[in-house]
Amino acid sequence: MKDEAGEAGEADETGGTGGTGGEADGASAAADDTAADTEAAARARRLAAWHGSERTLAHGPAEGRIAERLAALTAALTTGTTTGTTTGTTADAPPYGGDGWVDVYGDGIVEELERRVAGLLGMEAAAFFPTGTMAQQIALRCWAGRTGDPVVAVHPLAHLEVHERDAYVTVSGLRAVRPTGEPRPPTAEEIRGVDEPFGTLALELPLRDAGFVLPTWEELVEVVEAARERDAVVHFDGARLWECTVHFGRDLPEIAALADSVYVSFYKSLGGISGAALAGPETLVAEARAWRHRYGGQLFQQWPAALAALDGLDRELPRLPSYVAHARVVAEALRKAFTAAGVGWSRVHPEVPHTHQFQVWLPYPAAVLDEAGVRLAEETRTTLFRRWREPGPPGLAMTEVTVASPALEWTADDVTAAVGAFLARVRELMNGDGGPAPQGGQALP
């Protein structure tokens, strides 16, 4: 799911062969245009409300203005980076090659980023990719060629399955087996119980669509050992691996050492513009670079994305443990606030977040919760939640909460007060006091 980057289909402008068909097609095109205009206006309103908030639980990547992002990149070049603390920047810290030349086809600052990532993960080498989807597909393709087995053991809720349009199947001709269908990571016994051979076990850490959940360290070690018993290699979809160290009680090299290859993202936790890296043995990374070129990922210049990634590694990576710790405070405050408000069914999942991200479920239509959140931001300049969706049973909506630097100043009392103000606007909408009463959902007391 993309928070604020929906895809709009193109209206059919070809017309029909007869008068009636042409009129119908014209009406359909006009309706599509109207719907697109309506959604564009709604999106502009949301972004303006969020951007104008003085207090926000977490900033989303879509609401930043271009000039603001350019200013942040300039600051990274001219003022240096953090020094492993959360207190700010140091004037004498070296800039990210601000006086150097822009990269050409992946040299310079991109190579610097690759070396940095390989070192952070304790891997022999790393390669920069414009997208995580490309990095994942190439990793799986390379392993399939090396093992001689095109079968991938993967969870049905994994990013590979839900968010990549079956690329590993369609583009690379690979095939999946499912160790489990439960909304949690697979167990060692489930890996041993897969009833056919597989060449690669792909593990998403954390499993985002199940609630950003992780196994325990002991469970993860056992799962990897079970895959080795099956003569399979292990690939970590570690887009959010950066924030897993607190839950596992291990540093990044020790976590990454369990896998044969690891993919990490530069924007999901680090606030980068885009991009990812694939890390692993030198020979694998060299092969991946060749496939990156074939897949169209050998971009002429990528210095803005590389610069933002390096800035994120210095600025955000040291702060992630504090975000994880505070996510637990925020999650508990949300859960207690919904209970105290008499919401008939609500859930914060997991109750104790494994990372700095978690799910919130409420028994109201997503459209109502979206509108209530925008009104809260417009009227109080406070942003609590962003977009909601309805991926489960009818009448239940879910949002994902990311606790980052803006949330650190929020106390449990602040969260409680914001929940009260948010639910007051939900009440108005559900009871018809603030607009047409939507269908479905539970009326608030």
Side-chain angles (χ1 to χ4, degrees):
M1 182 193 71
K2 296 179 181 179
D3 190 32
E4 277 300 333
E7 297 177 356
E10 293 181 358
D12 182 0
E13 298 178 352
T14 60
T17 57
T20 301
E23 291 171 3
D25 288 343
S28 175
D32 288 344
D33 288 343
T34 300
D37 290 343
T38 300
E39 174 52 31
R43 181 177 187 272
R45 180 186 170 216
R46 287 192 297 268
L47 293 177
W50 298 340
H51 188 269
S53 290
E54 295 176 345
R55 288 174 55 80
T56 180
L57 196 60
H59 289 300
E63 69 222 47
R65 298 189 185 278
I66 293 172
E68 294 167 343
R69 200 57 201 261
L70 288 173
L73 288 177
T74 301
L77 284 171
T78 59
T79 64
T81 74
T82 59
T83 56
T85 70
T86 61
T87 58
T89 59
T90 57
D92 57 347
Y96 305 112
D99 292 330
W101 302 105
V102 295
D103 65 293
V104 176
Y105 292 122
D107 64 1
I109 191 171
V110 176
E111 290 178 328
E112 180 182 344
L113 174 60
E114 292 171 338
R115 288 191 295 268
R116 180 80 180 277
V117 171
L120 284 169
L121 297 178
M123 293 289 195
E124 290 182 4
F128 181 86
F129 283 82
T131 72
T133 295
M134 184 183 292
Q136 297 247 90
Q137 305 317 310
I138 289 176
L140 296 179
R141 182 171 197 142
C142 290
W143 286 126
R146 288 165 178 245
T147 63
D149 191 333
V151 180
V152 181
V154 60
H155 197 288
L157 290 178
H159 196 280
L160 283 164
E161 291 291 312
V162 180
H163 301 287
E164 298 184 17
R165 294 197 175 192
D166 299 322
Y168 73 98
V169 176
T170 306
V171 178
S172 300
L174 307 183
R175 182 169 62 86
V177 293
R178 319 288 188 212
T180 182
E182 296 297 318
R184 53 159 175 75
T187 66
E189 287 306 309
E190 288 167 340
I191 297 300
R192 295 187 180 100
V194 175
D195 57 7
E196 58 182 301
F198 56 90
T200 304
L201 170 63
L203 292 175
E204 183 179 347
L205 301 173
L207 188 56
R208 178 254 182 107
D209 282 305
F212 304 96
V213 294
L214 290 163
T216 65
W217 175 253
E218 292 73 21
E219 290 169 340
L220 179 60
V221 171
E222 290 172 0
V223 164
V224 170
E225 290 174 348
R228 306 288 188 210
E229 293 170 10
R230 303 289 303 263
D231 295 322
V233 297
V234 177
H235 169 73
F236 283 171
D237 174 346
R240 298 172 172 85
L241 191 73
W242 308 115
E243 64 263 30
C244 294
T245 56
V246 174
H247 177 84
F248 288 138
R250 301 292 192 281
D251 61 17
L252 286 169
E254 188 172 0
I255 298 170
L258 293 179
D260 297 282
S261 60
V262 179
Y263 140 63
V264 290
S265 173
F266 296 126
Y267 73 89
K268 288 186 170 68
S269 301
L270 301 180
I273 293 175
S274 61
L278 176 65
E282 180 66 54
T283 56
L284 177 81
V285 172
E287 182 183 358
R289 292 179 192 275
W291 280 107
R292 179 183 64 188
H293 197 173
R294 295 184 181 111
Y295 273 60
Q298 188 77 356
L299 303 186
F300 178 56
Q301 289 185 349
Q302 302 177 93
W303 58 268
L307 170 59
L310 285 165
D311 182 47
L313 289 173
D314 277 337
R315 176 176 43 82
E316 287 299 300
L317 184 57
R319 300 177 179 179
L320 286 174
S322 68
Y323 299 166
V324 175
H326 200 59
R328 298 170 181 175
V329 175
V330 172
E332 182 180 14
L334 287 170
R335 182 171 53 82
K336 289 182 176 179
F338 290 131
T339 300
V343 177
W345 191 97
S346 65
R347 185 175 183 185
V348 173
H349 175 69
E351 285 194 1
V352 179
H354 295 176
T355 71
H356 71 314
Q357 296 178 288
F358 55 90
Q359 296 176 343
V360 174
W361 292 77
L362 290 177
Y364 310 107
V368 169
L369 298 173
D370 280 347
E371 175 64 19
V374 172
R375 291 188 184 188
L376 179 68
E378 290 174 335
E379 296 165 7
T380 71
R381 304 192 74 176
T382 297
T383 295
L384 180 62
F385 302 118
R386 282 178 170 75
R387 301 304 306 278
W388 294 77
R389 57 191 178 98
E390 300 177 25
L396 293 179
M398 184 273 289
T399 191
E400 295 174 333
V401 175
T402 300
V403 173
S405 57
L408 295 181
E409 65 181 34
W410 286 56
T411 66
D413 288 342
D414 292 332
V415 174
T416 300
V419 167
F422 173 73
L423 291 178
R425 286 156 179 82
V426 175
R427 183 182 300 112
E428 292 175 355
L429 292 162
M430 292 300 297
N431 296 337
D433 299 332
Q439 298 297 314
Q442 169 188 320
L444 276 169

